[in-house]
Structures are given as C-alpha cells and as structure tokens.
C-alpha cells in the first residue's frame, strides 16, 4: 500500500520546471570543444564573428539559458546560506573537532542538502584536517 502523501502542487510545479530545464539543457549541443579554438579568433573589439548551424533544441536552450543559470546560481547560493554548520554543543572528548550539525535541518554536518550541492558541482568536502 502506498502511504505517501499526495505531492504538494507548488512542489510539483517546481519539479516540472526543473525537469524542463534539465531536458532542454541535455538536448542542446555542448559548446565546450567548439569554444576553445574560437578564443584565438577574438578581434580587437573583443568579438568573434561566427557562422554556425543551430538546431531548434539549441535555440531553445540559448533562449532560456541565462535566466535558468541565474535561477540555479541564486538557488544554490540561498541553499548554502541556509545549510551551514554550527557547533552542536554537548560534551565531546575531542575538543579540536567538535560535532557539528546543520543549523537549518539539524543533520550532522555535512548535511544531505549541502552534500547534494557539492556533489552536483563536483566540489570535494574538506574536513579541515
Ligand atoms: Zn542542512
């Protein structure tokens, strides 16, 4: 028997918006390899005149990518502001390495939210040793 609560409409809309961004981005061509040689063609005004073939999926991505990336970076910055470590207090035998908990969700640090963000951006966690 499924005992899960029905998904909150706001959460469902957010999930749908994020899935649209994910699919649109995945369908677009990667510019990583194409950009490298173009850097050598920058003119004095700081521009590279290019001719390229863009698929409709690329246009979909380019049309929305700036807004999407601004939204993602804003979201990520807000999340890492919310999810920060704090001293959990209590008695510990290791005063140099006190137990830390997330001040927002109270999980032991690093909390699942912070770990998900660092994994998404491939940022390793330094335990400060
Ligand atoms: Zn947290």
């Amino acid at each position: 028997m499924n005992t899960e609560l029905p998904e909150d409409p706001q959460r469902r809309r957010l999930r749908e918006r994020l899935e649209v961004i994910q699919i649109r981005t995945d369908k677009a061509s990667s510019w990583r390899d194409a950009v490298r040689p173009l850097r050598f063609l920058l003119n004095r005004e700081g521009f590279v005149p290019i001719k390229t073939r863009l698929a409709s999926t690329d246009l979909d991505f380019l049309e929305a990518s700036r807004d999407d990336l601004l939204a993602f970076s804003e979201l990520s910055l807000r999340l890492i502001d919310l999810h920060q470590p704090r001293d959990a207090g209590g008695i510990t035998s290791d005063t140099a390495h006190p137990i830390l908990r997330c001040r927002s969700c109270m999980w032991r640090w690093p909390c699942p939210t912070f770990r998900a963000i660092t994994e998404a951006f491939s940022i390793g966690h330094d335990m400060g040793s």
Side-chain angles (χ1 to χ4, degrees):
M1 193 176 111
N2 188 356
T3 57
E4 284 185 26
L5 293 169
E7 193 171 38
D8 161 44
Q10 190 177 29
R11 181 182 164 82
R12 184 177 45 74
R13 284 196 306 274
L14 181 59
R15 178 185 298 282
E16 286 167 359
R17 164 105 200 268
L18 292 169
E19 286 171 353
V20 164
I21 292 170
Q22 186 179 42
I23 290 165
R24 182 169 57 221
T25 305
D26 189 52
K27 282 183 177 176
S29 303
S30 172
W31 281 73
R32 182 173 295 280
D33 292 335
V35 163
R36 203 167 296 127
L38 294 176
R39 292 200 182 279
F40 297 105
L41 301 175
L42 279 168
N43 64 21
R44 284 189 196 148
E45 289 80 38
F47 295 100
V48 178
I50 58 167
K51 286 184 180 175
T52 187
R53 291 164 55 95
L54 295 171
S56 68
T57 51
D58 293 331
L59 293 174
D60 293 343
F61 172 75
L62 289 171
E63 189 174 47
S65 61
R66 185 177 183 276
D67 292 340
D68 291 345
L69 279 173
L70 284 171
F72 267 111
S73 55
E74 177 65 26
L75 164 72
S76 303
L77 289 168
R78 286 177 67 181
L79 285 173
I80 63 172
D81 279 347
L82 282 170
H83 294 268
Q84 294 188 45
R86 68 169 197 171
D87 193 326
I91 298 162
T92 175
S93 56
D94 187 357
T95 53
H97 300 93
I99 293 171
L100 299 175
R101 290 197 180 275
C102 177
R103 72 178 191 189
S104 184
C105 65
M106 298 305 292
W107 278 74
R108 192 164 177 170
W109 191 256
C111 74
T113 302
F114 186 79
R115 274 187 284 142
I117 296 166
T118 56
E119 286 167 21
F121 289 97
S122 302
I123 307 287
H125 181 68
D126 178 15
M127 292 302 283
S129 54

Short mmCIF file of all heavy atoms in Angstrom, two decimals, residues 4 9 17 19 24-25 27-28 35 39 42 46 53-54 60 70 72 76 101 103 112 114 118-119 124 128:
data_model
loop_
_atom_site.label_atom_id
_atom_site.label_comp_id
_atom_site.label_asym_id
_atom_site.label_seq_id
_atom_site.Cartn_x
_atom_site.Cartn_y
_atom_site.Cartn_z
N GLU A 4 2.34 7.30 0.88
CA GLU A 4 2.89 8.63 0.67
C GLU A 4 1.78 9.66 0.51
O GLU A 4 0.72 9.39 -0.06
CB GLU A 4 3.78 8.65 -0.57
CG GLU A 4 5.12 8.00 -0.35
CD GLU A 4 6.03 8.14 -1.56
OE1 GLU A 4 5.84 9.10 -2.32
OE2 GLU A 4 6.90 7.28 -1.72
N PRO A 9 1.14 20.87 -4.69
CA PRO A 9 1.13 21.46 -6.05
C PRO A 9 2.33 22.38 -6.33
O PRO A 9 2.85 22.38 -7.44
CB PRO A 9 -0.17 22.27 -6.07
CG PRO A 9 -1.00 21.76 -4.96
CD PRO A 9 -0.07 21.16 -3.95
N ARG A 17 9.23 22.40 -13.58
CA ARG A 17 10.08 23.47 -14.15
C ARG A 17 11.53 23.00 -14.23
O ARG A 17 12.21 23.20 -15.23
CB ARG A 17 9.97 24.72 -13.28
CG ARG A 17 11.04 25.75 -13.50
CD ARG A 17 10.56 26.97 -14.29
NE ARG A 17 11.67 27.69 -14.89
CZ ARG A 17 12.30 28.70 -14.30
NH1 ARG A 17 11.94 29.13 -13.13
NH2 ARG A 17 13.30 29.30 -14.91
N GLU A 19 12.62 19.90 -14.34
CA GLU A 19 12.76 18.83 -15.33
C GLU A 19 12.79 19.41 -16.75
O GLU A 19 13.54 18.92 -17.60
CB GLU A 19 11.64 17.80 -15.17
CG GLU A 19 11.87 16.91 -13.95
CD GLU A 19 10.68 16.02 -13.60
OE1 GLU A 19 9.60 16.17 -14.23
OE2 GLU A 19 10.85 15.19 -12.70
N ARG A 24 15.82 20.43 -21.57
CA ARG A 24 16.23 21.42 -22.58
C ARG A 24 17.74 21.52 -22.63
O ARG A 24 18.33 21.59 -23.71
CB ARG A 24 15.59 22.77 -22.22
CG ARG A 24 15.89 23.86 -23.21
CD ARG A 24 15.03 25.09 -22.98
NE ARG A 24 15.18 25.61 -21.64
CZ ARG A 24 14.17 26.08 -20.90
NH1 ARG A 24 12.95 26.11 -21.37
NH2 ARG A 24 14.38 26.54 -19.70
N THR A 25 18.38 21.52 -21.48
CA THR A 25 19.84 21.65 -21.42
C THR A 25 20.49 20.39 -21.99
O THR A 25 21.47 20.48 -22.74
CB THR A 25 20.28 21.87 -19.96
OG1 THR A 25 19.59 23.00 -19.45
CG2 THR A 25 21.78 22.11 -19.89
N LYS A 27 19.35 18.37 -24.24
CA LYS A 27 19.15 18.27 -25.69
C LYS A 27 20.04 19.23 -26.47
O LYS A 27 20.31 19.00 -27.64
CB LYS A 27 17.69 18.56 -26.04
CG LYS A 27 16.75 17.40 -25.78
CD LYS A 27 15.35 17.77 -26.23
CE LYS A 27 14.39 16.61 -26.06
NZ LYS A 27 13.01 17.01 -26.40
N ALA A 28 20.47 20.31 -25.86
CA ALA A 28 21.28 21.31 -26.55
C ALA A 28 22.69 20.77 -26.79
O ALA A 28 23.19 19.94 -26.04
CB ALA A 28 21.35 22.60 -25.73
N VAL A 35 34.23 26.10 -28.36
CA VAL A 35 34.61 27.43 -27.90
C VAL A 35 36.13 27.62 -27.87
O VAL A 35 36.63 28.71 -28.16
CB VAL A 35 33.99 27.70 -26.51
CG1 VAL A 35 34.67 28.87 -25.81
CG2 VAL A 35 32.50 27.96 -26.65
N ARG A 39 38.41 31.20 -29.12
CA ARG A 39 39.09 32.20 -28.27
C ARG A 39 40.26 32.85 -28.99
O ARG A 39 40.60 34.00 -28.74
CB ARG A 39 39.56 31.56 -26.98
CG ARG A 39 38.42 31.14 -26.09
CD ARG A 39 38.83 30.96 -24.66
NE ARG A 39 37.71 30.52 -23.86
CZ ARG A 39 36.76 31.33 -23.38
NH1 ARG A 39 36.83 32.62 -23.59
NH2 ARG A 39 35.75 30.85 -22.69
N LEU A 42 39.29 36.07 -31.30
CA LEU A 42 38.75 37.32 -30.76
C LEU A 42 39.37 38.51 -31.48
O LEU A 42 40.59 38.59 -31.63
CB LEU A 42 39.07 37.43 -29.26
CG LEU A 42 38.16 36.66 -28.31
CD1 LEU A 42 38.77 36.63 -26.92
CD2 LEU A 42 36.77 37.28 -28.27
N GLY A 46 36.91 42.58 -29.13
CA GLY A 46 36.55 41.53 -28.19
C GLY A 46 35.42 40.63 -28.65
O GLY A 46 34.74 40.01 -27.83
N ARG A 53 25.61 26.37 -37.33
CA ARG A 53 24.30 25.75 -37.55
C ARG A 53 23.72 25.44 -36.18
O ARG A 53 24.32 24.69 -35.41
CB ARG A 53 24.44 24.48 -38.37
CG ARG A 53 24.86 24.73 -39.80
CD ARG A 53 25.36 23.45 -40.47
NE ARG A 53 24.39 22.37 -40.38
CZ ARG A 53 23.50 22.06 -41.33
NH1 ARG A 53 23.48 22.76 -42.44
NH2 ARG A 53 22.67 21.06 -41.19
N LEU A 54 22.58 26.00 -35.89
CA LEU A 54 21.93 25.77 -34.61
C LEU A 54 20.64 25.00 -34.82
O LEU A 54 19.79 25.41 -35.62
CB LEU A 54 21.63 27.09 -33.91
CG LEU A 54 22.84 27.92 -33.50
CD1 LEU A 54 22.41 29.31 -33.03
CD2 LEU A 54 23.62 27.23 -32.40
N ASP A 60 16.30 26.68 -28.29
CA ASP A 60 15.50 26.60 -27.06
C ASP A 60 16.39 26.82 -25.84
O ASP A 60 16.05 27.56 -24.91
CB ASP A 60 14.83 25.23 -26.92
CG ASP A 60 13.77 24.99 -27.98
OD1 ASP A 60 13.32 25.97 -28.60
OD2 ASP A 60 13.41 23.82 -28.17
N LEU A 70 20.97 31.87 -13.96
CA LEU A 70 20.82 32.85 -12.87
C LEU A 70 19.94 32.28 -11.76
O LEU A 70 20.26 32.42 -10.58
CB LEU A 70 20.25 34.17 -13.40
CG LEU A 70 21.23 35.05 -14.17
CD1 LEU A 70 20.49 36.21 -14.84
CD2 LEU A 70 22.32 35.57 -13.25
N PHE A 72 19.48 29.07 -11.07
CA PHE A 72 20.20 28.00 -10.40
C PHE A 72 21.29 28.53 -9.47
O PHE A 72 21.47 28.01 -8.36
CB PHE A 72 20.83 27.04 -11.41
CG PHE A 72 19.95 25.88 -11.72
CD1 PHE A 72 19.37 25.75 -12.96
CD2 PHE A 72 19.69 24.91 -10.76
CE1 PHE A 72 18.55 24.69 -13.25
CE2 PHE A 72 18.87 23.85 -11.04
CZ PHE A 72 18.29 23.74 -12.29
N SER A 76 21.27 27.99 -5.49
CA SER A 76 22.39 27.33 -4.82
C SER A 76 22.99 28.21 -3.74
O SER A 76 23.32 27.73 -2.64
CB SER A 76 23.46 26.95 -5.85
OG SER A 76 22.89 26.12 -6.84
N ARG A 101 26.48 20.30 13.50
CA ARG A 101 25.19 19.99 12.87
C ARG A 101 24.81 21.15 11.98
O ARG A 101 25.23 22.28 12.19
CB ARG A 101 24.11 19.75 13.93
CG ARG A 101 24.32 18.47 14.70
CD ARG A 101 23.06 18.05 15.44
NE ARG A 101 23.33 16.81 16.16
CZ ARG A 101 23.23 15.59 15.63
NH1 ARG A 101 22.87 15.45 14.37
NH2 ARG A 101 23.50 14.52 16.34
N ARG A 103 22.67 24.06 10.81
CA ARG A 103 21.82 24.95 11.59
C ARG A 103 20.39 25.02 11.04
O ARG A 103 19.49 25.51 11.71
CB ARG A 103 22.42 26.35 11.65
CG ARG A 103 22.35 27.13 10.37
CD ARG A 103 22.93 28.51 10.54
NE ARG A 103 22.63 29.32 9.38
CZ ARG A 103 23.13 30.51 9.16
NH1 ARG A 103 23.98 31.04 10.03
NH2 ARG A 103 22.81 31.18 8.10
N PRO A 112 22.73 16.34 4.23
CA PRO A 112 22.43 15.82 2.88
C PRO A 112 22.23 16.92 1.83
O PRO A 112 22.64 16.73 0.67
CB PRO A 112 21.13 15.03 3.09
CG PRO A 112 21.16 14.64 4.53
CD PRO A 112 21.82 15.78 5.24
N PHE A 114 23.65 19.96 1.73
CA PHE A 114 24.96 20.52 1.37
C PHE A 114 25.75 19.50 0.54
O PHE A 114 26.40 19.86 -0.44
CB PHE A 114 25.75 20.92 2.63
CG PHE A 114 27.03 21.63 2.31
CD1 PHE A 114 27.03 22.96 1.96
CD2 PHE A 114 28.24 20.94 2.35
CE1 PHE A 114 28.21 23.62 1.66
CE2 PHE A 114 29.43 21.59 2.05
CZ PHE A 114 29.40 22.93 1.71
N THR A 118 27.31 19.98 -3.22
CA THR A 118 28.73 19.81 -3.53
C THR A 118 28.92 18.70 -4.56
O THR A 118 29.78 18.82 -5.43
CB THR A 118 29.56 19.50 -2.27
OG1 THR A 118 29.02 18.37 -1.60
CG2 THR A 118 29.59 20.69 -1.33
N GLU A 119 28.11 17.64 -4.49
CA GLU A 119 28.23 16.57 -5.48
C GLU A 119 27.80 17.05 -6.86
O GLU A 119 28.42 16.72 -7.86
CB GLU A 119 27.40 15.35 -5.05
CG GLU A 119 28.04 14.58 -3.91
CD GLU A 119 27.08 13.58 -3.27
OE1 GLU A 119 26.09 13.19 -3.91
OE2 GLU A 119 27.36 13.20 -2.11
N GLY A 124 34.77 18.77 -3.78
CA GLY A 124 35.08 17.85 -2.68
C GLY A 124 34.90 18.52 -1.34
O GLY A 124 35.02 19.75 -1.23
N GLY A 128 38.82 19.71 6.93
CA GLY A 128 39.59 20.66 7.72
C GLY A 128 40.64 20.01 8.59
O GLY A 128 40.97 20.51 9.66
#
